[in-house]
Amino acid sequence: MKHPVAIQNICKEAMSHLEKRFMERDELIRVLVLAMMSGENVLLIGPPGSAKSQLARAAAQLFGSDQGFDYLLTRFTTPDELFGPVSLQMLKQDQYVRHTDGYLPSARFAFLDEIFKANSAILNSLLSILNERIFFNGREKQKVPLLFLMAASNELPEDNEQLAALYDRFLFRYEVEYVKMISSFELMFGAPTTPIPSLLSLDIVQQIRTSAQEAVIPEDLIYMLFQLKTALEEKEYVLSDRRWNKIGQVWKTSAAIHSRSEVSVWDTVLTPHMLWDFPEDFSIVRDIFSTVVQAALKKVMQQELPLDRYEQSVRAWLDKEEELNGFQFKREVGGAISGESAERAKAQLERCRTELEETARSLRGRLVAWQEKEKRLPEWIAEQTIFLLHPDQYAVKFTHLRIQGERILQTVQGLYRTLFDREIPGILYDYTL
C-alpha cells in the first residue's frame, strides 16, 4: 500500500494538472477528485461550451485509461447508442442480450451530456448503473466497472418522478459558469495541451475505499450531521436517507485519503455541494452548513482553548455576584452580620478571588499561545485537508472563537474589578490584535 502522505501528494499533483488546464474550476476539480475516490456521480449544471466534457476526459486521463465513454443525449437517443446493439446471434436463441464492449456498461469513466433528455427506454437502465453499478443485460445482471460518471445539463428536470429519481443519484452537484476574471481569460489561451500524466490508478482508489470502510464517524460529527439535517428541514430542504448515508461515506473517504481512522471536521468541507437541489439554493445551504460547522470547529479548538470550561467557571461566580457584593458592602459600612455567616462569606469570597485569578492567568496564557498559532493558521488548516480551497476562510472562523475567549477574559477581569476594586495582578493582554 502506498504511504498515505504519498497518496495525498499524488492527489494534489493531479488537481494541479487539471487546474492549469481549466481556469476558475479549482473547487470543482476538488469535488471531482473526491467523487472519483468515493465512487460517486457528479452533475454539472451550466451552459454549453464551459469545458464540461473536456474536464471529464481530462479526469479520465489521470488514470491513463482509454476506457471512457461520452455521449450527448437527446429525446431520440436509443438504448443501442448507450448500451450497445442487440446480439443477433443470441436473438436467434431467443435471448435478448447486448454487445456492451465499447459502450457505457463497459466503461470505467463516462460523461453524459444533457442527461435529463433521456427517454424512458434508457432511464431504468441508467438508474441501476448509477446507483448499484449493475446493467441488466437480458436475464443477466452485468457488473459495470464504472469508477466515475459525470453528467451535465443546461437545465434541471421538471416535476417528473422518474427524472427526480435520476437526479437523486447524483450526490455531488455543481453549477458551472463561464470564465469571469481577465487573468483567467488570458491564461486560458496558454493552457497546456500536452497529455495529462497518469498519476492515479485503480489500485490507489481501492486502497482508499478499503480504508474508508474501516473509518468511523465519531458521535459528535453524527450529531453535527443531524443538526445540519434539522436546520435544512426547517428551511424546507429535505434530503433522502440515501443521500445522508452517502454523505457520511464521502466523509469516510476523505478521512482515508488523509490517513485518519476517524472522520474529522476537516473531512466535511465539501459537504455543501451535496446538499442543494437548485443552484439558487446553494448559498443558503452553504450558510446553514457554515453555522453548524462552527460549533464543530469550536470542539477542535477546545483542546487548546477550552472556552466552555472557562465560561462555566466565570458564570458560576457571576451568579453569586450580587450575594458577594452584598457581603462586601455590609463589611465596609459595618452592617450587622453573624459570625458564622461572615466566615462563610469570607471563605467564599477568597475562593472566588483565587479561582478568578487562576482562570484569568490560564485563559490569558492560552490566548497568547493561540495568537502565535494564528500567525500560521491557514498553513495549519491546509495541512488538515487537501480539499479546502481557501484555508483563510476557515482561519477567520477560528479568529471568531478567539474573540469569544477574549470576551470571557474581559468578563473575568470586570468581575474581579467589581468585587475586589483592583486589577488581577500579573494579567496583561493586548486586545487590539
Side-chain angles (χ1 to χ4, degrees), residues 33-219:
V33 171
L34 182 56
M36 284 191 290
M37 298 302 173
S38 306
E40 292 297 339
N41 310 306
V42 178
L43 174 67
L44 305 185
I45 306 295
S50 49
K52 298 184 291 293
S53 59
Q54 283 181 295
L55 186 52
R57 295 187 195 106
Q61 285 180 32
L62 289 169
F63 289 83
S65 172
D66 58 356
Q67 297 183 56
F69 181 85
D70 60 85
Y71 210 82
L72 172 64
L73 297 174
T74 71
R75 57 197 178 102
F76 302 109
T77 302
T78 65
D80 289 4
E81 297 172 68
L82 241 61
F83 309 123
V86 175
S87 169
L88 298 179
Q89 194 69 28
M90 297 300 292
L91 199 59
K92 293 176 182 178
Q93 302 174 33
D94 295 329
Q95 295 188 44
Y96 195 85
V97 178
R98 294 184 181 277
H99 286 301
T100 58
D101 288 348
Y103 292 87
L104 180 59
S106 66
R108 291 194 180 276
F109 306 92
F111 174 73
L112 299 179
D113 203 1
E114 292 302 330
I115 189 169
F116 296 117
K117 288 187 168 63
N119 55 52
S120 57
I122 291 173
L123 194 58
N124 288 335
S125 294
L126 277 179
L127 292 179
S128 61
I129 289 175
L130 290 172
N131 199 50
E132 291 88 8
R133 298 296 195 257
I134 290 174
F135 174 63
F136 290 92
N137 194 0
R139 300 175 185 175
E140 299 295 325
K141 289 184 179 180
Q142 181 178 328
K143 190 173 181 180
V144 175
L146 190 65
L147 180 67
F148 173 69
L149 185 142
M150 188 166 77
S153 177
N154 296 334
E155 56 189 5
L156 289 174
E158 298 177 1
D159 188 15
N160 180 300
E161 185 176 343
Q162 284 186 313
L163 290 180
L166 179 67
Y167 188 42
D168 197 55
R169 261 64 174 181
F170 291 93
L171 181 62
F172 287 95
R173 288 93 180 259
Y174 201 98
E175 184 179 20
V176 183
E177 298 177 337
Y178 292 131
V179 168
K180 294 181 177 180
M181 299 172 60
I182 188 171
S183 57
S184 302
F185 191 75
E186 182 180 3
L187 288 170
M188 182 174 65
F189 293 97
T193 57
T194 55
I196 294 178
S198 54
L199 298 168
L200 302 177
S201 68
L202 299 179
D203 182 54
I204 289 177
V205 174
Q206 189 55 51
Q207 289 176 29
I208 290 172
R209 292 185 183 178
T210 300
S211 298
Q213 291 174 359
E214 299 171 357
V216 297
I217 305 178
E219 187 175 338

